[in-house]
């Protein structure tokens, strides 16, 4: 239901707490961000929910109270397959990190490769309003492209498609043609600094490769946005990074490490 929830949770309890204006502890990651004065993922999604569902917010609330609703937004992370060892990441989200730890005989974190059987993915391809592909590096995961094929089979080209990517992708001709079939496509690039700062924090990625892929996405008239993870390693470059986002007309959200 949400990538920020803990491994074990009861969505019905969370929904009930929300409807009664109580803060469920399972959503503590968003509460921390909001209490620090930043926009949380919860708030960002709520601001756009009426747009993506094409339902007035008051009606959405009434539907939640009555139980008259269906899933329309999906986040899919079919694997943690990834080619980067970003400093703020770990082996849970990156196979490259798992390989690095294993090569250096480190057992500080359990190695885990997540794979999802295509048959276990429960998406209503016909009614879906938004599908966000995550990872690992989502452009490298075959199952995500299979899901887009299924969207076309159900003639759902209006669904918003979003990739949260490290920007190192090399798409095939078929993958590019798939994306052009959809009306709304967003590439959300993970960018924590510019030039050498980016390459240090997201080793072994290349800054110029990132720029080339951003320019390609803009040329396709895709939406281009960014997630900016802020930590003690890049905070001194904060003004430089924000200036680069603004100069390149890239909207971004701040994701502070907690």
């Amino acid at each position: 239901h949400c990538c920020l929830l803990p491994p074990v949770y009861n969505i019905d309890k969370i929904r009930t707490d929300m409807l009664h204006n109580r803060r469920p502890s399972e959503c503590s990651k968003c509460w921390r961000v909001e209490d620090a004065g930043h926009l949380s993922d919860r708030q960002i999604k709520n601001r756009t929910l009426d747009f993506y569902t094409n339902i007035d917010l008051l009606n959405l609330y009434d539907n939640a109270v009555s139980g008259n609703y269906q899933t329309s937004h999906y986040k899919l992370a079919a694997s943690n397959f990834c080619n980067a060892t970003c400093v703020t990441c770990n082996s849970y989200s990156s196979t490259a990190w798992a390989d690095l730890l294993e090569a250096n005989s480190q057992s500080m974190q359990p190695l885990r490769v997540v794979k999802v059987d295509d048959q276990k993915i429960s998406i209503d391809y016909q009614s879906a309003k938004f599908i966000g592909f995550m990872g690992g590096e989502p452009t490298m995961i075959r199952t995500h492209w299979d899901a887009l094929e299924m969207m076309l089979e159900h003639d759902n080209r209006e669904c918003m498609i979003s990739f949260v990517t490290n920007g190192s992708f090399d798409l095939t001709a078929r993958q590019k043609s798939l994306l052009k079939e959809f009306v709304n496509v967003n590439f959300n690039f993970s960018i924590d600094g510019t030039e050498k700062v980016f390459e240090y924090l997201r080793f072994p990625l290349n800054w110029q490769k990132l720029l080339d892929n951003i320019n390609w996405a803009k040329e396709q008239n895709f939406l281009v946005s960014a997630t900016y993870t802020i930590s003690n390693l890049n905070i001194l470059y904060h003004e430089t990074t924000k200036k680069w986002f603004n100069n390149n007309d890239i909207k971004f959200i701040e994701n502070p490490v907690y």
Side-chain angles (χ1 to χ4, degrees):
H1 295 89
C2 173
C3 61
L4 299 178
L5 287 171
V8 179
Y9 61 88
N10 183 322
I11 194 62
D12 293 322
K13 173 188 174 298
I14 292 173
R15 185 182 293 111
T16 300
D17 284 346
M18 292 281 192
L19 289 172
H20 287 85
N21 205 28
R22 296 191 296 263
R23 284 187 169 191
S25 59
E26 294 88 345
C27 298
S28 60
K29 290 182 178 179
C30 277
W31 307 136
R32 288 186 189 182
V33 173
E34 292 171 26
D35 290 343
H38 300 282
L39 277 177
S40 70
D41 190 63
R42 180 187 77 90
Q43 291 172 316
I44 292 169
K45 296 301 186 297
N46 279 346
R47 286 186 172 192
T48 58
L49 195 59
D50 56 341
F51 172 77
Y52 287 122
T53 58
N54 197 28
I55 302 174
D56 182 82
L57 282 173
L58 291 176
N59 291 335
L60 279 170
Y61 180 83
D62 291 339
N63 290 343
V65 172
S66 65
N68 179 30
Y69 53 81
Q70 67 181 97
T71 304
S72 61
H73 287 50
Y74 300 86
K75 284 186 178 181
L76 181 60
S79 169
N80 64 345
F81 185 63
C82 189
N83 60 337
T85 55
C86 303
V87 176
T88 52
C89 194
N90 54 53
S91 62
Y92 283 108
S93 300
S94 167
T95 52
W97 252 116
D99 292 340
L100 186 66
L101 290 171
E102 192 170 41
N104 289 278
S105 301
Q106 297 289 325
S107 58
M108 294 168 60
Q109 296 169 305
L111 309 182
R112 185 179 71 165
V113 178
V114 179
K115 293 182 179 179
V116 176
D117 188 328
D118 290 2
Q119 303 301 317
K120 294 182 180 179
I121 296 175
S122 180
I123 294 176
D124 188 333
Y125 292 103
Q126 193 163 2
S127 65
K129 302 289 187 181
F130 174 92
I131 299 183
F133 296 104
M134 307 174 72
E137 169 49 38
T139 60
M140 299 174 65
I141 299 170
R142 178 188 56 79
T143 303
H144 295 163
W145 298 100
D146 291 343
L148 290 186
E149 295 272 12
M150 292 296 295
M151 293 292 292
L152 293 184
E153 285 188 22
H154 287 79
D155 199 29
N156 185 352
R157 289 168 167 77
E158 302 293 326
C159 181
M160 176 79 177
I161 304 299
S162 180
F163 282 88
V164 179
T165 174
N166 62 31
S168 65
F169 54 80
D170 286 300
L171 302 184
T172 65
R174 175 55 183 161
Q175 289 170 339
K176 290 179 179 179
S177 66
L178 265 178
L179 291 172
K180 289 181 180 180
E181 293 284 340
F182 293 92
V183 175
N184 294 307
V185 177
N186 173 58
F187 274 85
N188 182 268
F189 293 89
S190 299
I191 304 174
D192 307 332
T194 63
E195 300 178 340
K196 294 298 182 182
V197 176
F198 171 84
E199 293 181 346
Y200 173 80
L201 291 170
R202 295 193 170 270
F203 183 82
L205 305 186
N206 179 267
W207 175 249
Q208 187 57 52
K209 179 69 171 178
L210 170 73
L211 296 182
D212 291 343
N213 280 330
I214 290 175
N215 289 333
W216 170 81
K218 287 183 174 181
E219 289 169 0
Q220 313 311 308
N221 291 320
F222 296 156
L223 296 174
V224 171
S225 58
T227 297
Y228 168 28
T229 298
I230 303 174
S231 70
N232 60 336
L233 297 175
N234 61 358
I235 190 63
L236 296 182
Y237 304 94
H238 183 57
E239 292 304 320
T240 300
T241 305
K242 285 207 306 181
K243 183 178 179 180
W244 183 86
F245 283 133
N246 293 330
N247 287 345
N248 288 275
D249 194 26
I250 296 176
K251 297 186 184 299
F252 66 96
I253 59 172
E254 296 178 351
N255 175 38
V257 170
Y258 41 74

